[in-house]
Amino acid sequence: GADIVGLQEVLGRDPKGGKPDNGRKLAEMLQWHYVAQEGSKAIMSRFEIGDLTPGKHGAEIRLPDGGVLHFFNVHLAAAPYQPYQLLGIPYKDAPFLKGADALIAAADAARGEELRVVLHQIAPLAAAGAWVILTGDFNEPSHLDWTDRAARAGTVPLAVAYPASKAVAAAGLIDVYRRLYP
């Protein structure tokens, strides 16, 4: 029932050395529109896909009623991954960290600039009242999950106001999952 899909890691591995675009194959099977983004990301839609943004972080989706929706899709850096750094799980030679401030600083250093570029492109659209959707793999927990309440319940080791989800919320975007399931 989806109309638009943001894809990550669409480039497969061919034993002969190539990298087939599995997202494109999927879009062709569905007879959907498709646009490859930088890296191994893509956007596909049953609706026409218009102009890409600078850096190919997003695209215009032309709706059947003549409206335009701005669809952004990201895949932020996977490493270093701060929960692993906190829990002492070796991953990509990242140092182990202690405390929320150290985790927040490391998360911002890993993913902050890329997200700021995307949010900078979204800001004028949102300010003008345009329809904007942001999807992706943020590779970072949400500040809405790593709360004092979750820490007291033992669900997370400590409260951490992770910066990516905070920046998205501060930009005025709504976490649709949270809206549907408060």
Side-chain angles (χ1 to χ4, degrees):
D3 293 318
I4 311 165
V5 179
L7 301 168
Q8 292 80 38
E9 301 181 23
V10 297
L11 299 180
R13 300 201 192 282
D14 186 326
K16 297 176 185 168
K19 288 193 173 191
D21 187 336
N22 294 318
R24 186 174 301 283
K25 289 179 186 177
L26 179 59
E28 288 170 359
M29 289 172 32
L30 294 170
Q31 298 180 350
W32 278 25
H33 302 274
Y34 182 85
V35 63
Q37 297 176 274
E38 295 294 321
S40 188
K41 302 175 299 201
I43 298 169
M44 67 180 202
S45 175
R46 68 177 68 241
F47 307 128
E48 183 182 349
I49 300 174
D51 296 334
L52 285 166
T53 63
K56 297 185 178 181
H57 298 292
E60 291 180 352
I61 306 294
R62 297 190 178 124
L63 303 176
D65 66 359
V68 173
L69 178 122
H70 302 274
F71 190 89
F72 290 80
N73 182 48
V74 299
H75 189 183
L76 303 181
Y81 186 61
Q82 285 66 55
Y84 289 176
Q85 290 180 282
L86 175 66
L87 297 173
I89 299 170
Y91 183 65
K92 305 276 185 179
D93 296 323
F96 300 139
L97 300 174
K98 301 231 181 275
D101 290 342
L103 297 170
I104 292 166
D108 186 61
R111 292 170 281 283
E113 186 56 32
E114 183 180 358
L115 184 59
R116 281 188 282 279
V117 167
V118 173
L119 293 176
H120 181 73
Q121 292 178 3
I122 289 173
L125 298 168
W131 294 347
V132 177
I133 294 176
L134 172 62
T135 63
D137 183 348
F138 291 80
N139 278 308
E140 186 176 301
S142 173
H143 73 286
L144 298 173
D145 293 328
W146 284 58
T147 62
D148 286 326
R149 180 178 171 196
R152 283 191 307 274
T155 306
V156 298
L158 72 153
V160 180
Y162 280 105
S165 56
K166 279 189 71 171
V168 170
L173 297 174
I174 298 166
D175 184 325
V176 175
Y177 181 84
R178 299 292 176 152
R179 180 63 57 97
L180 293 173
Y181 306 101

